[in-house]
Amino acid sequence: MAEYNFNDIEKKWQTYWKQNATFKTSTSTDKPKFYSLDMFPYPSGAGLHVGHPLGYIASDIVSRYKRNKGFNVLHPMGFDAFGLPAEQYAIQTGQHPAITTENNISTYKKQLDNLGFSFDWDREIRTCEAEYYKWTQWIFIQLFNSWYNNESNKAENISTLVAVFEQKGSAGANAHTDYEGSFTASEWNAYSEEEKQALLLNYRLAFLAETSVNWCPALGTVLANEEVKDGVSERGGYPVEKKKMQQWSLRITAYADRLLNDLEALDWSDSVKEMQRNWIGKSVGSTLRFQLEKFDDIIEVFTTRPDTVFGVTFVTLAPEHPLVAKITTDEQKEAVDKYVLWAKNRSERDRISDTEKTGEFTGAYVINPFTKTLVPVWTSDYVLAGYGTGAVMAVPSSDVRDFEFATKFNLPIIQVYEGEFSDISKENFEAKTGKVINSEFLNGLETKEAIHLAIQKIEELGVGKGKVNFRIRDAIFSRQRYWGEPIPVYYKNNLPYVIEESELPLTLPEIDAYQPTETGEPPLGRAKDWLYQNKYGYELSTMPGWAGSSWYFLRYMDSKNDGSFVSKEAQNYWQEVDLYIGGAEHATGHLLYSRFWNKFLFDLGLVSNIEPFKKLVNQGMIQGVSEIIYLITDYTEIDGVAPLSIIKQYFNFEENGNVRLVFLEKEFVTKNKLEKHTSTIHIPIEFVDSVSHNLNLKEYINSEIGKTNIQGGYLFLNENGYLFKGKFSDESFTFYCSPLVEKMSKSKYNVVNPDNIVAKYGADTLRMYEMFLGPLEQFKPWNTNSIDGVARFLRRVWRLFYNDNNEFIVSEEAPSKEELKHLHKTIKKVEEDIERLSFNTSVSTFMVLVNELTNLKCSKRAILEPFLVILSPYAPHITEELWSKLGHTESISKAVFPAFNEEYLVESDFEYPVSINGKVRHKLNLPLSLSQEEIQKEALSTEQVTKWMEGKTPKKVIIVPGKIINIVI
RNA sequence: GCGGGUGUGGCGAAAUUGGUAGACGCACUAGACUUAGGAUCUAGCGCUGCGAGGCAUGGGGGUUCGAGUCCCUCCACCCGCACCA
């Protein structure tokens, strides 16, 4: 009997594609373009697991579809090759990260090729290669040479700023800067070169500044806010602390407004857009200055609710606020010092998790500029140093946190909105409605007008002004690591200068070890004879992992260009990414930085689009199914009873050596009770039957891992309480593991390797199956069992073309009307499904078609051909014989997706469901081409229908063409 | 706490603008062919009922001739952010 031999087919076509450069992207610009991009992977040592290709399969289907639809498709792949794991490995083993990376990449490429992707490998890029990072460095230099002009609302060359300073001084420019000083034109012109350079650093988009950074001692580097999650590093999960350091940063805050506003038009998921909005964190309000009672100093606060200023009963400073030490009275000094020290040493984690308010009175008072009353100044770490001014005006009647603080420390509360205040509830605080009271000129107003009027008054009085605040911080750009792009900067008289563009790339020097130097400098401090023009020391930190990935989508457009990061022509043609598929974990990192860099390059006139990614789809993770057992490891007593006696009490020891959990009347051995004495063990999935979760004990206990994890004599159990006891003498005993769906990872022994699946079922089965699993964006566990259905289907498809004697059997007969009807119905649906990225339903539709045609014993089965081109890269090319026999003259890769032809559908009869009063009871065969009136006439005149209506006259007849006839009586 | 999302058979799911709920697949059941079956084919498969029928899309209510889909309300779960003034 003939067999679907996917191995031969796949090998053959992989060779064919390679030899014929089938998927090489055309450089001609006469066709419409489609840019379909996957987030390029970091090549980790573990290789691919079945979750990785999910998004690649989807984008590959779209790419093949678009090619067949006549688009010139750019569908490239590359590697995000700088990164921590390779460097950590280097620190441990001394192996150069470049070698580790190279090895991993070749594994990845082999695995990807096995899956039959239509990537154009000619355009492959690796961020760690000098030809690539030359341009990453070049973009850094452009950032260094630019400032942000708030007037024109774009980045400009620093020379335009210098020109303004020469003419008008600092007041002449509306630049985005944190610098608060000012200078006149003549002062500027009198400054030395060094002084000018130092001042300009306050304006450059890539700048060096002393800032509070996230320092990760375990990794020995600083991290950007986006790389810290819950107070620990995103990579590795090491603790992170705040530290003041001199660091390179990128002025992403200058773009905050544009990054926020331009989200609107993007075809991205609401959740990612919302995450970016929250991350940018725009809030509109006002600053307000409070004069200190006994000092000249003022405390400036930021508030979104200036309408509540009459309700201010205290002012709170962050413990790090510079005024805290100065204004604290002698009586309070000891307590405040103690508090500040305590707050400083409290970890980020503790601070987040403790909701109990803490704080201390400084002894100082400020004057409320509106009421002229004195209010006390407190310090508390519920006020963040890094946001706004690091000080807040507290209105306990309108803010939950202020309320909690006031209640705890017995501070007064003044109500400024009407309503029963005794009824303190969240709703009271959240409601921005109601009328203002106790607030002089604001009384009786609604919130919105009150805020407006309050800001007006604040500005009139000169005690503050309307202001917009952002949560987003400038992005820290230095990493004290080796395996990254060197920052193209050298130092002269302690001031940073970028190197000449003509001297790029600044290549990563060889060093003898990958640790920091003895003097605490980054690893690059070990490089010998590494000086700019033999004189000046280079910057020793490198760029962060996200530098190379912030612009790679542009490089693919013109990946070999040595004279420019991308040519004008290529950029103009490819414009932006039409479809970008990747994980949602990059929502506030990569996706934000890429938008920032793209906008910057747009300002410079180097790219033609304000946004890099038109449509974004986040594929869901494919999870693994872990197999768990619980091993009883701790034989100490529980509640005065040794576990063994507990176990004997609650379990029946059966004759065959098994132990069965027995539930007693009230109290049984609760899982919790035993859990304290157990440890969770992951059994590698190859020892467990995926359907029954039956552990192959013999193989497991004889394996290395089994020997290490459980030694004879131990007791172990699964969730249901089945125990296994003893020396494993009876190895045929069945033991059920507890399945657990979780992230696939090496350490959980639940990784499914695509290579194994391809070897057993073929790449097509894997691809179709992954699409069939469920909606692309959903998280779903891998289920090896149901892959058989897809494998079976593909075998059936193959058999449509071959008889039992392995002879090729495609009839030349013209397809019947019935066949064409099925075909065109399917074309329409598959086309719609792919366009809306619903791959699971398009696979299903296709399966239905094959089932129908099989049942019809159809003659011209080869009409299936076009679909196979899209859904499955190998199957259509079962033989070249098939291809030519079908009358195709052009090459397989140029096969065109057939157009949907409505005629075939209209001709045939349609079975209308007929509902009486909304309940479907009957069916009526009518031609689909009838008009509404004709259908109505037919429906009412039919004898049958009259009978159904029981002689009643219809009140209404509702007809949905092609769908339903509803008669209301 | 704030924001986003999800809830449909034993399981993964489908139903695109409100129009025959459960397509397609897994698992399961019966049968055929077979020395054999982890191959293939045929039929069945939401619950309930002998049946006609009745009941079913997390719970409750509403709009409509008609609701998985729209509105109100409650519940459960997942994800992100989190003392952002």
Side-chain angles (χ1 to χ4, degrees):
Chain A
M1 183 146 164
E3 275 207 21
Y4 166 47
N5 191 338
F6 48 82
N7 273 328
D8 292 352
I9 298 167
E10 287 172 13
K11 197 163 287 162
K12 173 179 166 183
W13 286 100
Q14 276 167 29
T15 316
Y16 177 93
W17 290 334
K18 204 165 257 170
Q19 281 170 358
N20 292 275
T22 308
F23 303 120
K24 195 170 159 56
T25 316
S26 163
T27 48
S28 89
T29 57
D30 48 351
K31 279 194 201 168
K33 66 97 188 182
F34 190 87
Y35 186 178
S36 147
L37 182 66
D38 296 289
M39 288 184 186
F40 64 167
Y42 173 80
S44 85
L48 288 178
H49 65 62
V50 289
H52 292 115
L54 183 71
Y56 306 158
I57 296 168
S59 69
D60 203 56
I61 289 174
V62 173
S63 300
R64 285 170 185 270
Y65 168 76
K66 287 287 179 184
R67 274 191 209 108
N68 284 305
K69 276 290 203 183
F71 286 84
N72 188 16
V73 174
L74 177 55
H75 185 42
M77 183 47 79
F79 297 93
D80 188 14
F82 274 134
L84 282 179
E87 182 165 356
Q88 292 295 68
Y89 188 72
I91 290 173
Q92 285 159 25
T93 63
Q95 170 156 284
H96 197 287
I99 297 170
T100 315
T101 305
E102 174 68 38
N103 289 343
N104 293 348
I105 286 178
S106 67
T107 308
Y108 264 64
K109 281 185 80 167
K110 202 161 19 163
Q111 287 187 302
L112 289 172
D113 279 341
N114 276 342
L115 293 173
F117 290 121
S118 63
F119 294 129
D120 178 2
W121 283 115
D122 277 3
R123 294 184 184 235
E124 176 189 350
I125 56 184
R126 302 177 183 187
T127 54
C128 66
E129 286 180 345
E131 300 85 68
Y132 180 85
Y133 70 67
K134 166 181 174 180
W135 297 107
T136 311
Q137 291 171 333
W138 181 83
I139 294 171
F140 175 87
I141 292 176
Q142 310 312 307
L143 283 160
F144 181 85
N145 286 333
S146 301
W147 64 291
Y148 200 87
N149 187 343
N150 288 332
E151 214 69 60
S152 59
N153 205 14
K154 61 179 193 135
E156 290 177 15
N157 192 283
I158 198 81
S159 59
T160 63
L161 183 67
V162 172
V164 173
F165 286 166
E166 282 167 358
Q167 297 293 312
K168 299 175 184 164
S170 60
N174 183 359
H176 188 99
T177 177
D178 298 326
Y179 181 64
E180 280 167 0
S182 64
F183 44 85
T184 62
S186 48
E187 279 170 335
W188 170 263
N189 291 323
Y191 287 146
S192 69
E193 185 55 30
E194 274 76 21
E195 283 168 322
K196 283 180 184 172
Q197 284 306 324
L199 272 174
L200 284 176
L201 271 181
N202 294 310
Y203 297 90
R204 299 180 185 276
L205 293 187
F207 63 100
L208 191 62
E210 174 96 354
T211 43
S212 173
V213 298
N214 307 301
W215 171 254
C216 180
L219 293 172
T221 185
V222 299
L223 297 168
N225 283 354
E226 290 79 351
E227 293 167 306
V228 181
K229 301 263 145 90
D230 295 328
V232 298
S233 68
E234 197 181 19
R235 290 247 180 200
Y238 303 108
V240 170
E241 54 195 47
K242 288 275 173 198
K243 196 175 170 184
K244 283 245 172 199
M245 281 176 87
Q246 174 105 331
Q247 295 295 324
W248 284 98
S249 292
L250 301 189
R251 216 177 286 282
I252 190 171
T253 50
Y255 284 85
D257 237 335
R258 285 164 67 186
L259 288 169
L260 185 70
N261 295 336
D262 293 347
L263 276 174
E264 203 75 31
L266 292 178
D267 188 0
W268 291 16
S269 72
D270 289 338
S271 68
V272 171
K273 283 205 221 177
E274 201 54 34
M275 274 157 86
Q276 291 212 348
R277 280 190 201 108
N278 289 341
W279 189 262
I280 295 164
K282 179 177 183 168
S283 47
V284 181
S286 158
T287 60
L288 186 58
R289 288 193 286 274
F290 288 80
Q291 179 63 53
L292 275 153
E293 185 202 13
K294 287 172 184 155
F295 298 88
D296 289 340
D297 300 87
I298 48 167
I299 293 175
E300 189 178 54
V301 303
F302 173 76
T303 177
T304 55
R305 297 297 301 276
D307 54 319
T308 62
V309 67
F310 288 91
V312 174
T313 53
F314 58 103
V315 162
T316 315
L317 304 179
E320 299 89 339
H321 196 285
L323 281 177
V324 171
K326 181 169 178 184
I327 65 174
T328 301
T329 56
D330 294 341
E331 301 86 72
Q332 293 299 320
K333 193 174 186 325
E334 200 188 328
V336 169
D337 285 354
K338 201 175 144 199
Y339 178 74
V340 170
L341 189 70
W342 174 80
K344 199 181 147 194
N345 288 329
R346 198 144 80 121
S347 78
E348 194 78 352
R349 266 215 128 110
D350 292 344
R351 206 182 59 74
I352 290 165
S353 56
D354 290 356
T355 43
E356 180 76 1
K357 294 278 176 293
T358 58
E360 204 60 58
F361 178 44
T362 61
Y365 289 86
V366 290
I367 303 152
N368 182 326
F370 281 80
T371 63
K372 304 294 179 198
T373 52
L374 286 181
V375 294
V377 180
W378 285 66
T379 179
S380 168
D381 70 354
Y382 85 86
V383 176
L384 304 174
Y387 183 77
T389 58
V392 302
M393 59 176 226
V395 187
S397 62
S398 295
D399 184 282
V400 203
R401 296 150 304 176
D402 297 342
F403 176 77
E404 285 168 3
F405 196 82
T407 324
K408 171 146 183 194
F409 294 103
N410 267 324
L411 292 157
I413 296 169
I414 301 171
Q415 203 178 344
V416 287
Y417 269 88
E418 62 179 12
E420 277 294 316
F421 191 72
S422 56
D423 172 31
I424 290 296
S425 62
K426 282 162 244 153
E427 290 76 41
N428 273 13
F429 293 114
E430 278 161 17
K432 283 207 169 189
T433 50
K435 288 201 166 62
V436 180
I437 53 169
N438 297 333
S439 301
E440 298 178 13
F441 63 95
L442 295 173
N443 284 341
L445 293 176
E446 299 281 340
T447 306
K448 217 176 149 188
E449 326 168 78
I451 291 177
H452 184 78
L453 193 63
I455 295 180
Q456 214 174 32
K457 201 78 180 184
I458 287 168
E459 290 182 351
E460 261 176 48
L461 292 173
V463 291
K465 60 175 183 192
K467 200 189 170 193
V468 176
N469 230 328
F470 290 94
R471 203 187 76 106
I472 192 172
R473 298 280 80 120
D474 285 327
I476 311 287
F477 200 66
S478 324
R479 296 293 179 275
Q480 287 66 40
R481 306 288 300 198
Y482 174 71
W483 191 230
E485 302 88 344
I487 295 178
V489 162
Y490 65 91
Y491 289 87
K492 190 162 84 179
N493 301 328
N494 275 326
L495 282 167
Y497 294 85
V498 288
I499 67 175
E500 289 293 319
E501 285 179 19
S502 59
E503 300 182 43
L504 291 176
L506 172 61
T507 51
L508 195 58
E510 295 301 321
I511 55 175
D512 52 6
Y514 302 96
Q515 288 91 342
T517 65
E518 273 96 66
T519 53
E521 285 184 323
L524 283 184
R526 295 172 179 272
K528 296 193 177 69
D529 309 319
W530 198 51
L531 290 172
Y532 182 68
Q533 293 177 353
N534 301 321
K535 276 190 266 184
Y536 306 112
Y538 280 117
E539 167 67 46
L540 297 179
S541 55
T542 53
M543 297 190 195
W546 48 267
S549 61
S550 294
W551 73 282
Y552 77 109
F553 47 91
L554 294 167
R555 187 63 177 171
Y556 282 132
M557 297 173 182
D558 192 13
S559 62
K560 296 272 160 55
N561 195 327
D562 198 33
S564 150
F565 76 108
V566 56
S567 75
K568 200 95 199 157
E569 300 75 51
Q571 215 292 308
N572 262 327
Y573 177 60
W574 292 109
Q575 294 275 325
E576 85 273 70
V577 176
D578 293 287
L579 174 64
Y580 194 29
I581 297 183
E585 67 272 18
H586 297 109
T588 51
H590 161 65
L591 288 169
L592 201 57
Y593 296 130
S594 298
R595 295 182 61 221
F596 163 41
W597 282 37
N598 188 83
K599 282 180 192 302
F600 167 70
L601 294 166
F602 173 83
D603 286 353
L604 266 47
L606 299 169
V607 304
S608 48
N609 229 296
I610 57 166
E611 284 290 336
F613 314 121
K614 191 154 89 186
K615 183 173 175 63
L616 172 76
V617 176
N618 303 115
Q619 91 270 24
M621 195 187 292
I622 293 190
Q623 295 149 306
V625 179
S626 303
E627 302 288 354
I628 307 283
I629 64 171
Y630 302 95
L631 187 67
I632 300 175
T633 48
D634 179 4
Y635 285 83
T636 54
E637 299 188 338
I638 315 172
D639 301 338
V641 189
L644 272 177
S645 51
I646 291 191
I647 287 158
K648 281 192 180 142
Q649 200 180 332
Y650 292 102
F651 295 80
N652 276 341
F653 285 78
E654 291 170 6
E655 282 175 14
N656 58 5
N658 302 351
V659 186
R660 175 85 163 81
L661 175 59
V662 176
F663 290 81
L664 299 182
E665 280 168 40
K666 280 178 192 159
E667 192 203 10
F668 54 93
V669 177
T670 57
K671 237 188 117 209
N672 288 347
K673 213 169 192 180
L674 227 44
E675 253 174 10
K676 285 181 198 156
H677 295 258
T678 59
S679 65
T680 303
I681 295 209
H682 284 79
I683 307 279
I685 51 173
E686 59 264 29
F687 296 117
V688 183
D689 183 277
S690 58
V691 179
S692 62
H693 302 290
N694 201 349
L695 172 63
N696 187 334
L697 250 187
K698 191 174 179 177
E699 274 189 32
Y700 177 62
I701 59 176
N702 288 325
S703 69
E704 277 309 307
I705 171 129
K707 276 180 195 154
T708 330
N709 279 344
I710 52 170
Q711 291 120 31
Y714 275 117
L715 279 162
F716 59 99
L717 66 158
N718 65 18
E719 258 179 0
N720 302 323
Y722 287 94
L723 277 163
F724 181 83
K725 182 206 97 176
K727 309 281 181 204
F728 308 118
S729 50
D730 182 6
E731 285 161 355
S732 63
F733 166 66
T734 53
F735 182 81
Y736 304 100
C737 297
S738 309
L740 179 70
V741 173
E742 54 188 353
K743 197 174 169 178
M744 265 193 201
S745 94
K746 225 171 154 182
S747 61
K748 293 178 180 130
Y749 302 105
N750 62 354
V751 174
V752 180
N753 187 325
D755 300 349
N756 299 340
I757 303 292
V758 169
K760 190 169 172 198
Y761 295 98
D764 267 331
T765 304
L766 176 72
R767 290 169 61 114
M768 271 188 109
Y769 173 65
E770 290 210 5
M771 291 299 97
F772 188 68
L773 257 179
L776 183 60
E777 305 201 53
Q778 213 159 76
F779 278 53
K780 53 227 156 185
W782 176 265
N783 182 350
T784 305
N785 312 331
S786 53
I787 199 170
D788 286 327
V790 175
R792 223 171 278 164
F793 168 77
L794 282 179
R795 270 199 298 268
R796 211 158 59 231
V797 172
W798 190 83
R799 236 176 283 118
L800 283 173
F801 300 96
Y802 285 84
N803 66 12
D804 287 349
N805 300 325
N806 209 8
E807 287 162 347
F808 184 65
I809 44 142
V810 178
S811 156
E812 299 294 329
E813 256 173 72
S816 70
K817 256 189 194 159
E818 185 80 350
E819 287 159 15
L820 286 172
K821 180 183 157 189
H822 286 307
L823 174 69
H824 284 272
K825 207 169 69 187
T826 309
I827 291 173
K828 186 167 189 251
K829 182 137 181 8
V830 168
E831 193 160 314
E832 284 165 1
D833 286 344
I834 293 178
E835 290 283 358
R836 69 189 172 106
L837 308 182
S838 176
F839 302 102
N840 53 332
T841 55
S842 73
V843 173
S844 297
T845 308
F846 181 50
M847 286 180 169
V848 173
L849 176 73
V850 171
N851 288 345
E852 279 171 349
L853 295 182
T854 312
N855 291 337
L856 282 171
K857 308 260 182 290
C858 100
S859 51
K860 184 108 180 176
R861 285 162 179 162
I863 54 179
L864 295 174
E865 170 66 21
F867 297 105
L868 293 168
V869 172
I870 296 146
L871 291 174
S872 191
Y874 303 113
H877 316 309
I878 290 164
T879 61
E880 282 151 271
E881 199 187 350
L882 165 66
W883 194 250
S884 57
K885 204 154 188 175
L886 291 170
H888 294 296
T889 47
E890 49 189 359
S891 91
I892 291 159
S893 65
K894 286 184 183 147
V896 172
F897 192 82
F900 163 62
N901 189 339
E902 209 163 336
E903 272 176 41
Y904 297 107
L905 297 188
V906 174
E907 274 179 17
S908 45
D909 280 0
F910 185 79
E911 195 175 59
Y912 274 91
V914 180
S915 73
I916 314 268
N917 282 347
K919 207 86 182 162
V920 175
R921 294 268 192 265
H922 315 290
K923 274 161 189 177
L924 209 55
N925 262 341
L926 298 171
L928 194 59
S929 53
L930 289 186
S931 72
Q932 284 218 32
E933 289 76 28
E934 285 167 325
I935 295 171
Q936 186 162 355
K937 231 172 106 189
E938 277 290 315
L940 294 177
S941 66
T942 314
E943 208 179 308
Q944 271 292 314
V945 178
T946 322
K947 210 174 95 194
W948 296 334
M949 285 165 61
E950 295 154 352
K952 289 174 192 152
T953 325
K955 275 193 209 143
K956 207 167 24 164
V957 178
I958 300 155
I959 295 157
V960 184
K963 284 194 173 162
I964 196 164
I965 301 170
N966 185 52
I967 300 170
V968 185
I969 34 180

